[in-house]
Amino acid sequence: MCGACRPGARVAVQGFGAVGRHATSFLGERGALLVAAADTSATLSDPAGLNVADLTRHKLAGTELADYPAGKKAPPDAIIDVPSDIWIPAARPDVLHAGNVARLQAKLVAQGANIPATVEAEAALHARGILVLPDFIANAGGVICAAVEYRGGTEAAAFAAIADKIGRNTREALERASRTCSTPRAAATELAEALVKGAAGYRRWR
């Protein structure tokens, strides 16, 4: 298991919408500690941990993080500066780029948003030994769920498929990256291309 994923791991999430809320809830159930969250109004942080359930109720009521009564407030971009073990970009593309990536203090970046880091930012993180889980693996749950539901599967079947496929794809990508001394994104891309080519061989032309 990645050391960043241990019980007591500190989590920071950029974007406390549906993806960010569910990610922090999932990790919190496994012993992780939410130390910072950001939305368009502010970064909210507390090294002792934020109350995920209460913060979720606050956001679902339509209130911004800047108005939450607890925690330290800072500008939205300050989420990058909060030390954490797991950093989750879960809102918008290119939030990490060459101009700010050096500020990030994390061990693992789990990409919940689409393309949340530029190519330069990912290369810089890799050079520093920070593990980056590519977006098209880490946030593929919605696509997998839709595929299961399309075939008439239940919610339980969808969650089981998500856990299996994302877990297996993550392990395979990281093992390949280790063997080939490449970035996780490069390794994951090679795996994806192989799967697509393999699937194309089963296609029936009419």
Side-chain angles (χ1 to χ4, degrees), residues 22 24 46 109 113 115 124 137 151 183 187 189 195 205:
H22 283 94
T24 54
D46 185 341
V109 176
I115 323 175
I137 287 184
R151 295 195 299 268
T183 66
T189 300
L195 288 171
W205 297 95

Side-chain angles (χ1 to χ4, degrees), residues 13-22 24 34 37-44 50-69 76 90-91:
V13 58
Q14 185 272 330
F16 204 69
V19 174
R21 290 196 309 270
H22 283 94
T24 54
L34 179 65
D39 63 9
T40 56
S41 71
T43 289
L44 180 68
L50 297 163
N51 186 316
V52 175
D54 191 53
L55 198 59
T56 295
R57 286 191 292 270
H58 176 84
K59 282 295 291 184
L60 290 177
T63 314
E64 297 180 328
L65 293 183
D67 299 319
Y68 189 69

Side-chain angles (χ1 to χ4, degrees), residues 4-11 24 26-34 52 86:
C5 305
R6 69 187 187 282
R10 300 164 300 161
V11 177
T24 54
F26 177 86
L27 291 170
E29 291 171 358
R30 285 151 182 80
L33 193 69
L34 179 65
V52 175
I86 304 172

Side-chain angles (χ1 to χ4, degrees), residues 7-203:
R10 300 164 300 161
V11 177
V13 58
Q14 185 272 330
F16 204 69
V19 174
R21 290 196 309 270
H22 283 94
T24 54
S25 177
F26 177 86
L27 291 170
E29 291 171 358
R30 285 151 182 80
L33 193 69
L34 179 65
V35 296
D39 63 9
T40 56
S41 71
T43 289
L44 180 68
S45 64
D46 185 341
L50 297 163
N51 186 316
V52 175
D54 191 53
L55 198 59
T56 295
R57 286 191 292 270
H58 176 84
K59 282 295 291 184
L60 290 177
T63 314
E64 297 180 328
L65 293 183
D67 299 319
Y68 189 69
K72 177 183 177 182
K73 313 297 191 307
D77 186 56
I79 187 71
I80 298 172
D81 304 303
V82 180
S84 64
D85 297 302
I86 304 172
W87 201 82
I88 304 173
R92 56 186 176 84
D94 296 340
V95 66
L96 290 176
H97 50 77
N100 65 13
V101 69
R103 293 161 44 195
L104 189 70
Q105 305 173 65
K107 298 176 181 177
L108 168 68
V109 176
Q111 298 187 347
N114 293 325
I115 323 175
T118 64
V119 173
E120 295 81 6
E122 284 199 9
L125 292 171
H126 183 70
R128 291 169 55 194
I130 298 173
L131 180 62
V132 179
L133 298 183
D135 50 354
F136 63 90
I137 287 184
N139 71 16
V143 175
I144 296 170
C145 181
V148 173
E149 290 180 345
Y150 179 77
R151 295 195 299 268
T154 63
E155 181 179 281
F159 280 124
I162 290 168
D164 173 65
K165 292 181 183 298
I166 291 182
R168 176 158 37 87
N169 290 339
T170 298
R171 286 191 298 273
E172 291 180 0
L174 295 183
E175 287 169 0
R176 178 183 286 253
S178 179
R179 287 196 311 270
T180 61
C181 296
S182 61
T183 66
R185 179 172 293 278
T189 300
E190 291 175 0
L191 286 171
E193 289 174 346
L195 288 171
V196 170
K197 289 177 181 177
Y202 293 103
R203 182 170 182 176

